[in-house]
Amino acid sequence: MEQKQTINFGAGPAKLPQSVLLQAQKELLSYCGLGISVLEMSHRSADFSKIINKSESLLRELLDIPDNYKVLFLQGGGSGQFSAVPLNLIGLKEGRCADYLVTGTWSAKAAKEAEKYGKVNVVHPKLDSYTQIPDPSSWTLNPSASYVYYCCNETVHGVEYNFTPETNGVVLVSDMSSNFLSRPVDVSKFGLIFAGAQKNIGCAGVTVVIVREDLLGHALKECPIVLDYNVQAEMNSLYNTPPCFSIYIMGLVLEWIKNNGGSAAMETLNKQKSSMIYDIISSSKGFYVCPVDAACQSRMNVPFRVGKKEGDDSLEKNFLEGASKRGMISLKGHRSVGGIRASLYNAVTLEDTAALADYMRDFLKEHQLTNST
């Protein structure tokens, strides 16, 4: 039976490189000839130690992580870190307060969660809609804040920072879940970076935390032990059973990124892919509309409406049905905003993106003809 060709534009869990899936398939029943699967392997075994250590060394190499940073592989996803960050860092200074930039669903959730553990200051005027990043000149940063927090790419609304916020010496924390390793990053500018793996670097189950060593050991007394960065760092992420198979898959994806030119090559490809879609939107004379300011349009998640600015329900339904017939899945926008969303993570190829671009052109042509007859 011929396998159906499916192009996955899902926002996460998302497409994995074909070569990674094939390697995992090949090794599933017997990893490296051991006669057991990684799924069955003890996390205390020498073989798993090699897997976790290799994943860490690849990450350190790909991001040029300085030696005074710890790399942790945790569970609980990005949402777990919405709690872990304040539990570990809000007590860095006496006032127990933190500055938050709120530019979308995920940073809003993070700020709300942090309020349980200290005082949260949203540093800019409240946004009417999540379609822009407020100009840094409008921010009111608190020099007494324990840290400044932002979400580098908002998956739901398609808003991405193309600059690193200046915090005037205050610890900078970033949720990079949806653009991690999609471009080079100067890790030394951050106190902490975290990212769920299931978008650009693997499958669901593991969350990467990169944290500067001097920030360890300041957890609030109510911090659950599994979320305590210091405990996890001392135990090499093995305080409790880690998500072993997810760490293994992540290692394969990191190897794939390295073999394909690293984060700089990913950035070039991601710019090409997103430009392909944004160019069609901007030249469609309002048939496709992306609500996000051009200066902060995401290269990872491209949200758009069809037919008019607020979207035409029947056209969007037709668009999704037509895409499905061409083997394209997971293009429906997030339930909170509607419309269409194409997620173009690292494993989505230029060919995949070109297939979507061709379909968008055809759909536009067909409906322009319908409207003019």
Side-chain angles (χ1 to χ4, degrees), residues 191-262:
L192 184 144
I193 292 167
F194 71 84
Q198 70 274 13
K199 299 170 193 291
N200 273 313
I201 58 158
C203 63
V206 62
T207 305
V208 174
V209 174
I210 302 167
V211 57
R212 211 171 61 215
E213 286 174 350
D214 62 295
L215 303 177
L216 299 172
H218 302 278
L220 303 181
K221 69 177 189 306
E222 59 265 44
C223 180
I225 197 161
V226 290
L227 294 181
D228 188 324
Y229 298 145
N230 199 37
V231 170
Q232 292 285 8
E234 282 177 355
M235 300 295 293
N236 193 28
S237 303
L238 299 174
Y239 169 76
N240 61 324
T241 309
C244 301
F245 195 74
S246 300
I247 291 169
Y248 156 70
I249 293 289
M250 181 180 67
L252 297 183
V253 176
L254 294 174
E255 208 157 7
W256 174 84
I257 291 172
K258 180 185 171 179
N259 294 340
N260 283 278

Side-chain angles (χ1 to χ4, degrees), residues 18 37 62 64 76 122 125 133 157 165 170 177 244 257-258 267 281 313 337 349 353:
Q18 184 76 358
S37 172
L62 287 165
D64 199 14
V122 177
I133 292 168
H157 293 88
V170 175
S177 291
C244 301
I257 291 172
K258 180 185 171 179
E267 179 176 46
I281 294 169
D313 285 350
V337 293
T349 63
T353 313

Side-chain angles (χ1 to χ4, degrees), residues 56 59-60 65 69-73 208-211 236-237:
E56 179 178 340
L59 249 188
R60 286 188 176 278
I65 299 173
Y69 284 74
K70 293 288 187 190
V71 175
L72 311 177
F73 300 129
V208 174
V209 174
I210 302 167
V211 57
N236 193 28
S237 303

Side-chain angles (χ1 to χ4, degrees), residues 6 50 84 190 195 226-227 282 349 371:
T6 300
K50 283 181 198 157
F190 297 84
V226 290
L227 294 181
S282 58
T349 63
N371 292 343

Side-chain angles (χ1 to χ4, degrees), residues 260-309:
N260 283 278
S263 58
M266 294 297 123
E267 179 176 46
T268 303
L269 277 173
N270 290 324
K271 280 181 176 170
Q272 281 178 272
K273 291 183 299 190
S274 55
S275 295
M276 225 185 271
I277 305 303
Y278 284 121
D279 288 351
I280 292 169
I281 294 169
S282 58
S283 63
S284 71
K285 298 190 170 80
F287 183 77
Y288 297 120
V289 182
C290 174
V292 181
D293 279 11
C296 57
Q297 287 177 341
S298 170
R299 294 155 309 127
M300 297 286 97
N301 313 98
V302 182
F304 59 94
R305 305 305 303 243
V306 182
K308 54 186 177 184
K309 192 179 172 187

Side-chain angles (χ1 to χ4, degrees), residues 31 34 36-53 236 238 241-242 244:
Y31 176 73
L34 292 171
I36 63 163
S37 172
V38 176
L39 290 162
E40 309 166 286
M41 189 183 281
S42 165
H43 62 295
R44 306 279 179 207
S45 66
D47 293 299
F48 185 71
S49 285
K50 283 181 198 157
I51 290 172
I52 197 168
N53 292 340
N236 193 28
L238 299 174
T241 309
C244 301

